[in-house]
């Protein structure tokens, strides 16, 4: 990739500087007092108040998590800077801040797909792995999302895997099992929607607004039909019959009204509300929905009436896109030592457990998925672990912003009838090939 060349030059300079530092320490130049030294030779120094930039907290529990830190660290308080709900708008604000070298954000809650871009541009600090001794206890696929060129830039705090939420009350009444394939899902819907209580409901919806969620849903459809957007060799390969079958499933869904027309405006929250209001039989969304849809305070009409299953696919169960969020330290913040401690705190097993119990967000600690008591209380943990472990990552590229914009445009044009699905994929293949040149 063009971009990465200048990065490697910088990396070489850093490496030389690193060797000189090593030489100095071999000659007795190191004061040995260390602790705060990063792998790249820079230091995580500075203590005091910090800020935490994060997308809109749809879980409702972030305030509790941050309050737990603040009560123990009165001199190093964290102020939350809440950004918009849409992933793309969060990224835009973080990028603008970084380009201005602003210190307004200390810790960044990065979507898993942004690590390469933020690391290669040196907007976030390389993290010394020895300061985060619990990394080995995280699900390996989540840890991988925090790395760029084998170096750690962000620590996974929540993971995400797509789940198929379904109305268990309606399925039971109609005598159907949760579907494993798209055809089974449609057959199940035909029976469910014939029930008087499900009258007027739509069969299925995911997220189809033109933003990152569309990239997620498009990739899942393609992968679940046996195709790829970008192959394991790192090359785009989206102009294939398999990818077309995946896109066609979504296009047909809108045409044959399996999906409600409004789903073209759905991000996560719009979809969740439709499902909670009883407008959908099946709904693709992330684990955070489980806790909210199950609330018995009157905010959800479907508490006790839904369950989750793995995503369905074309001929067999589907493939989720790997989501999640990792915490990184802005290169431009002063109090990096405090920032590192805050990340350690928020990624600890204790905080993650407290968060799962309140929010049903996916933890990154492997042990929390295997805890029998938690599994009993939260039956979504087993399908969630399966979803995350078999999930497919989006491309790990520096120009991810351009890549996702191209994917979103192609998928959106096909879904809205502006382009034929085949032509949209041919065009997307050309665009991705020029963006991802290895
Ligand atoms: C969730 C996922 C994230 C994904 C986003 C798309 O926040 O964790 O990885 O990009 O949804 O809307």
């Amino acid at each position: 990739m063009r971009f990465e060349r200048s990065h490697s030059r910088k990396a070489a300079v850093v490496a030389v500087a690193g060797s000189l530092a090593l030489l100095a320490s071999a000659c007795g130049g190191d004061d040995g007092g260390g602790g705060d030294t990063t792998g790249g030779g820079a230091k995580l120094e500075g203590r005091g108040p910090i800020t935490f930039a994060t997308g809109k907290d749809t879980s409702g529990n972030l305030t509790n998590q941050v309050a737990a830190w603040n009560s123990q660290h009165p001199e190093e308080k964290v102020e939350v800077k809440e950004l918009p709900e849409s992933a793309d708008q969060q990224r835009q604000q973080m990028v603008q801040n970084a380009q201005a070298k602003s210190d307004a954000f200390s810790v960044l809650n990065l979507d898993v797909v942004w690590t390469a871009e933020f690391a290669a541009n040196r907007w976030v600090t390389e993290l010394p792995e020895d300061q985060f001794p619990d990394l080995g206890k995280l699900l390996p696929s989540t840890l991988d999302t925090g790395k760029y060129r084998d170096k750690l830039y962000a620590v996974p705090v929540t993971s995400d895997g797509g789940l198929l939420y379904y109305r268990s009350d309606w399925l039971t009444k109609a005598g159907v099992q949760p579907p494993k394939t798209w055809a089974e899902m449609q057959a199940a819907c035909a029976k469910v929607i014939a029930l008087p209580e499900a009258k007027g409901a739509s069969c299925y919806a995911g997220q189809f607004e033109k933003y990152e969620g569309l990239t997620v849903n498009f990739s899942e459809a393609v992968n679940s039909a046996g195709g790829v957007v970008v192959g394991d060799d790192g090359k785009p390969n989206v102009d294939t019959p398999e990818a077309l079958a995946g896109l066609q499933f979504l296009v047909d869904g809108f045409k044959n009204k399996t999906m409600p027309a409004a789903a073209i405006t759905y991000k996560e929250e719009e979809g969740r509300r439709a499902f909670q209001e009883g407008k959908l039989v099946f709904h693709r969304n992330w684990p955070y929905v489980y806790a909210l849809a199950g609330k018995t305070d009157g905010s959800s009409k479907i508490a006790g009436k839904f369950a989750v299953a793995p995503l369905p696919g074309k001929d067999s169960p589907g493939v989720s896109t790997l989501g999640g969020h990792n915490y990184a330290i802005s290169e431009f913040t002063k109090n990096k030592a405090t920032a590192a401690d805050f990340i350690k705190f928020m990624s600890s097993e204790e905080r993650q457990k407290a968060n799962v119990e309140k929010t049903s967000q996916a933890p990154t600690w492997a042990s929390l998925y295997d805890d029998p008591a938690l599994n009993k209380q939260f039956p979504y943990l087993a399908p969630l672990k399966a979803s995350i472990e078999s999930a497919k990552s989006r491309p790990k590229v520096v120009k991810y912003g351009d890549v996702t914009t191209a994917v979103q445009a192609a998928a959106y044009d096909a879904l809205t009838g502006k382009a034929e699905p085949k032509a949209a994929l041919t065009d997307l293949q050309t665009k991705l090939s020029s963006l991802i040149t290895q």
Side-chain angles (χ1 to χ4, degrees):
M1 213 166 306
R2 260 168 295 157
F3 218 118
E4 293 188 12
R5 268 190 219 125
S6 71
H7 172 73
S8 358
R9 262 204 305 275
K10 273 189 209 154
V13 173
V14 172
V16 171
S19 332
L20 289 177
L22 267 181
L23 199 63
S25 81
C27 298
D30 185 22
D31 65 10
D36 283 351
T37 310
T38 70
K43 288 194 168 193
L44 293 186
E45 285 177 333
R47 296 202 166 270
I50 56 169
T51 61
F52 174 47
T54 181
K56 185 172 165 49
D57 177 32
T58 44
S59 81
N61 193 42
L62 183 65
T63 318
N64 295 332
Q65 296 284 80
V66 172
W69 163 273
N70 282 346
S71 66
Q72 293 170 29
H73 302 87
E75 306 298 319
E76 297 170 278
K77 282 204 169 148
V78 171
E79 184 197 340
V80 175
K81 300 270 187 190
E82 204 175 56
L83 305 180
E85 185 194 319
S86 149
D88 304 58
Q89 289 172 20
Q90 295 161 23
R91 173 181 165 274
Q92 205 185 352
Q93 291 203 20
M94 290 186 190
V95 170
Q96 273 168 5
N97 255 273
Q99 283 173 337
K101 299 194 189 322
S102 157
D103 65 354
F105 301 157
S106 316
V107 173
L108 303 177
N109 186 358
L110 295 184
D111 195 314
V112 289
V113 279
W114 305 334
T115 310
E117 180 185 20
F118 279 68
N121 283 297
R122 305 202 168 268
W123 293 333
V124 292
T125 306
E126 187 194 330
L127 301 174
E129 293 201 23
D130 56 2
Q131 275 194 41
F132 298 89
D134 291 332
L135 294 176
K137 298 184 179 148
L138 308 183
L139 293 174
S141 60
T142 68
L143 183 58
D144 187 55
T145 65
K147 293 191 173 181
Y148 175 64
R149 301 190 150 197
D150 290 331
K151 291 191 171 145
L152 183 72
Y153 289 91
V155 178
V157 174
T158 52
S159 185
D160 250 344
L163 294 170
L164 183 73
Y165 288 82
Y166 63 91
R167 290 293 300 271
S168 47
D169 55 339
W170 290 348
L171 261 67
T172 306
K173 181 113 193 264
V176 289
Q177 295 296 317
K180 293 194 175 60
T181 63
W182 296 331
E184 283 177 16
M185 184 164 81
Q186 260 151 351
C189 282
K191 290 192 179 153
V192 169
I193 292 169
L195 298 171
E197 51 269 67
K199 197 163 171 262
S202 296
C203 179
Y204 171 80
Q207 296 75 40
F208 304 108
E209 170 68 283
K210 200 180 200 179
Y211 80 115
E212 188 60 34
L214 179 56
T215 299
V216 167
N217 280 258
F218 166 77
S219 307
E220 282 174 352
V222 167
N223 291 318
S224 299
V228 294
V229 180
V230 173
D232 289 339
D233 58 0
K235 295 198 175 116
N237 192 17
V238 79
D239 194 5
T240 62
E242 292 81 9
L244 183 59
L247 178 57
Q248 199 68 50
F249 160 68
L250 301 179
V251 170
D252 290 349
F254 276 103
K255 275 198 193 142
N256 64 27
K257 303 208 167 26
T258 301
M259 306 217 242
I264 197 72
T265 65
Y266 285 1
K267 300 191 293 306
E268 282 79 3
E269 283 290 87
E270 288 84 357
R272 174 176 75 84
R273 283 193 284 268
F275 184 59
Q276 284 184 193
E277 283 162 12
K279 293 181 181 161
L280 300 169
V281 183
F282 295 102
H283 179 42
R284 182 259 172 237
N285 212 323
W286 305 107
Y288 84 99
V289 166
Y290 197 92
L292 296 173
K295 284 210 160 154
T296 49
D297 61 2
S299 57
S300 171
K301 290 189 184 155
I302 58 162
K305 299 179 176 172
F306 72 93
V308 293
L311 296 175
K314 183 168 170 281
D315 305 312
S316 51
V319 182
S320 165
T321 297
L322 183 64
H325 288 86
N326 306 332
Y327 290 11
I329 302 178
S330 160
E331 188 63 35
F332 313 107
T333 189
K334 283 198 289 288
N335 296 327
K336 292 195 173 64
T338 299
D341 284 354
F342 176 63
I343 294 177
K344 232 180 289 172
F345 178 86
M346 293 291 273
S347 59
S348 67
E349 187 179 24
E350 189 192 342
R351 286 326 315 163
Q352 289 205 14
K353 187 169 182 199
N355 197 50
V356 175
E357 288 172 346
K358 282 252 163 55
T359 71
S360 72
Q361 281 178 329
T364 55
W365 275 74
S367 57
L368 294 176
Y369 291 90
D370 301 331
D371 179 325
L374 273 185
N375 268 286
K376 205 159 168 221
Q377 204 180 348
F378 303 112
Y380 69 91
L381 281 172
L384 177 58
K385 189 181 183 199
S387 167
I388 291 173
E389 283 185 332
S390 62
K392 183 136 177 53
S393 297
R394 284 160 280 173
K396 218 175 182 183
V397 292
V398 178
K399 290 189 177 176
Y400 185 77
D402 295 337
V403 167
T404 188
T405 301
V407 172
Q408 292 167 31
Y412 197 79
D413 284 355
L415 296 186
T416 53
K418 237 181 101 183
E420 283 300 321
K422 166 83 178 102
L425 293 181
T426 306
D427 185 41
L428 179 59
Q429 175 67 18
T430 309
K431 287 205 179 109
L432 292 182
S433 304
S434 73
L435 288 169
I436 307 175
T437 51
Q438 304 222 336

